Amino acid sequence: MRIGALSRRTGVSQRLLRYYEEQGLLHPLRRPSGYREYDEEDVRAVESIRTLLGAGLSTRTIAELLPCTVNDGQGPVPACAGMLPDLQRERERIDSAMADLLAARTALDAVIAATPLAPAGGAGGEAGGDESDGCLVAAPGGTSVGPVPR
């Protein structure tokens, strides 16, 4: 099958399929005309690639692991015991990224909690209101001085 048919079968764009080939994840046959020729094994490979990407693995890591997997129709299944250290390393990387994201969310929550609420009448700029947007200018030492003009 040609790239358009593979794209329709897998739901992956032709551009992304070419990227997978550039990354060494797909190895289609090339016809003398230059057209790529894919088969059922490539359909399963694309499904495995999508599953592994969804698990947070990079294409570089997938390129290392993909030859050691088989697709049983339910997704990629490790076929080499040697994959386990790589998979555990990827899990540790994801755990670290999650911890960093949680720390960032905690810091953002602190900023949100310290942000003053808008006055009941809404932000300034309404008819009869001042020209501020509800922000206060802070003087050295952290004391508020007054509204910020727009």
PDB file of all heavy atoms in Angstrom, residues 7 12 15 47-48 70 81 115 123 126 134:
ATOM      1  N   SER A   7      -1.868   6.090   5.786  1.00  0.00           N
ATOM      2  CA  SER A   7      -2.386   7.214   6.564  1.00  0.00           C
ATOM      3  C   SER A   7      -3.858   6.996   6.912  1.00  0.00           C
ATOM      4  O   SER A   7      -4.269   7.194   8.058  1.00  0.00           O
ATOM      5  CB  SER A   7      -2.201   8.510   5.766  1.00  0.00           C
ATOM      6  OG  SER A   7      -2.781   9.595   6.434  1.00  0.00           O
ATOM      7  N   VAL A  12      -2.876   8.478  10.907  1.00  0.00           N
ATOM      8  CA  VAL A  12      -1.668   9.285  11.083  1.00  0.00           C
ATOM      9  C   VAL A  12      -1.401  10.001   9.757  1.00  0.00           C
ATOM     10  O   VAL A  12      -1.471   9.393   8.691  1.00  0.00           O
ATOM     11  CB  VAL A  12      -0.464   8.386  11.475  1.00  0.00           C
ATOM     12  CG1 VAL A  12       0.822   9.174  11.526  1.00  0.00           C
ATOM     13  CG2 VAL A  12      -0.740   7.712  12.809  1.00  0.00           C
ATOM     14  N   ARG A  15       2.576  13.334   6.493  1.00  0.00           N
ATOM     15  CA  ARG A  15       3.767  14.069   6.942  1.00  0.00           C
ATOM     16  C   ARG A  15       4.391  13.381   8.158  1.00  0.00           C
ATOM     17  O   ARG A  15       5.616  13.236   8.255  1.00  0.00           O
ATOM     18  CB  ARG A  15       3.371  15.500   7.277  1.00  0.00           C
ATOM     19  CG  ARG A  15       4.534  16.351   7.692  1.00  0.00           C
ATOM     20  CD  ARG A  15       4.117  17.788   7.858  1.00  0.00           C
ATOM     21  NE  ARG A  15       5.266  18.588   8.195  1.00  0.00           N
ATOM     22  CZ  ARG A  15       5.214  19.651   8.962  1.00  0.00           C
ATOM     23  NH1 ARG A  15       4.067  20.066   9.457  1.00  0.00           N
ATOM     24  NH2 ARG A  15       6.293  20.325   9.246  1.00  0.00           N
ATOM     25  N   GLU A  47       0.943   1.584  14.762  1.00  0.00           N
ATOM     26  CA  GLU A  47       0.121   1.450  15.975  1.00  0.00           C
ATOM     27  C   GLU A  47       1.004   1.369  17.215  1.00  0.00           C
ATOM     28  O   GLU A  47       0.722   1.999  18.239  1.00  0.00           O
ATOM     29  CB  GLU A  47      -0.779   0.221  15.864  1.00  0.00           C
ATOM     30  CG  GLU A  47      -1.872   0.375  14.809  1.00  0.00           C
ATOM     31  CD  GLU A  47      -2.590  -0.931  14.485  1.00  0.00           C
ATOM     32  OE1 GLU A  47      -2.142  -2.018  14.942  1.00  0.00           O
ATOM     33  OE2 GLU A  47      -3.599  -0.862  13.759  1.00  0.00           O
ATOM     34  N   SER A  48       2.087   0.611  17.128  1.00  0.00           N
ATOM     35  CA  SER A  48       3.022   0.498  18.258  1.00  0.00           C
ATOM     36  C   SER A  48       3.694   1.832  18.538  1.00  0.00           C
ATOM     37  O   SER A  48       3.833   2.239  19.703  1.00  0.00           O
ATOM     38  CB  SER A  48       4.081  -0.569  17.969  1.00  0.00           C
ATOM     39  OG  SER A  48       3.499  -1.851  17.900  1.00  0.00           O
ATOM     40  N   VAL A  70       6.772  -6.909  19.788  1.00  0.00           N
ATOM     41  CA  VAL A  70       5.855  -7.509  18.818  1.00  0.00           C
ATOM     42  C   VAL A  70       4.489  -6.905  19.089  1.00  0.00           C
ATOM     43  O   VAL A  70       4.168  -6.564  20.227  1.00  0.00           O
ATOM     44  CB  VAL A  70       5.804  -9.052  18.931  1.00  0.00           C
ATOM     45  CG1 VAL A  70       7.128  -9.664  18.520  1.00  0.00           C
ATOM     46  CG2 VAL A  70       5.431  -9.498  20.320  1.00  0.00           C
ATOM     47  N   ALA A  81      13.958  -9.264  27.169  1.00  0.00           N
ATOM     48  CA  ALA A  81      14.087  -8.943  28.590  1.00  0.00           C
ATOM     49  C   ALA A  81      14.978  -7.717  28.795  1.00  0.00           C
ATOM     50  O   ALA A  81      14.826  -6.996  29.777  1.00  0.00           O
ATOM     51  CB  ALA A  81      14.663 -10.138  29.347  1.00  0.00           C
ATOM     52  N   THR A 115      -3.190  36.977  44.477  1.00  0.00           N
ATOM     53  CA  THR A 115      -3.734  37.972  43.545  1.00  0.00           C
ATOM     54  C   THR A 115      -5.026  38.546  44.108  1.00  0.00           C
ATOM     55  O   THR A 115      -5.934  37.799  44.463  1.00  0.00           O
ATOM     56  CB  THR A 115      -4.009  37.323  42.175  1.00  0.00           C
ATOM     57  OG1 THR A 115      -2.795  36.744  41.704  1.00  0.00           O
ATOM     58  CG2 THR A 115      -4.516  38.339  41.163  1.00  0.00           C
ATOM     59  N   ALA A 123     -13.904  45.458  37.073  1.00  0.00           N
ATOM     60  CA  ALA A 123     -12.658  46.202  36.884  1.00  0.00           C
ATOM     61  C   ALA A 123     -12.969  47.605  36.422  1.00  0.00           C
ATOM     62  O   ALA A 123     -14.047  47.889  35.933  1.00  0.00           O
ATOM     63  CB  ALA A 123     -11.782  45.485  35.848  1.00  0.00           C
ATOM     64  N   GLU A 126     -15.263  51.083  33.426  1.00  0.00           N
ATOM     65  CA  GLU A 126     -16.692  51.149  33.170  1.00  0.00           C
ATOM     66  C   GLU A 126     -17.125  52.596  33.280  1.00  0.00           C
ATOM     67  O   GLU A 126     -16.404  53.437  33.803  1.00  0.00           O
ATOM     68  CB  GLU A 126     -17.456  50.295  34.200  1.00  0.00           C
ATOM     69  CG  GLU A 126     -17.118  48.818  34.108  1.00  0.00           C
ATOM     70  CD  GLU A 126     -17.778  48.018  35.212  1.00  0.00           C
ATOM     71  OE1 GLU A 126     -18.459  48.612  36.070  1.00  0.00           O
ATOM     72  OE2 GLU A 126     -17.611  46.806  35.217  1.00  0.00           O
ATOM     73  N   GLY A 134      -7.789  47.422  38.193  1.00  0.00           N
ATOM     74  CA  GLY A 134      -7.863  46.701  39.453  1.00  0.00           C
ATOM     75  C   GLY A 134      -6.503  46.318  39.997  1.00  0.00           C
ATOM     76  O   GLY A 134      -6.406  45.715  41.049  1.00  0.00           O
TER      77      GLY A 134
END
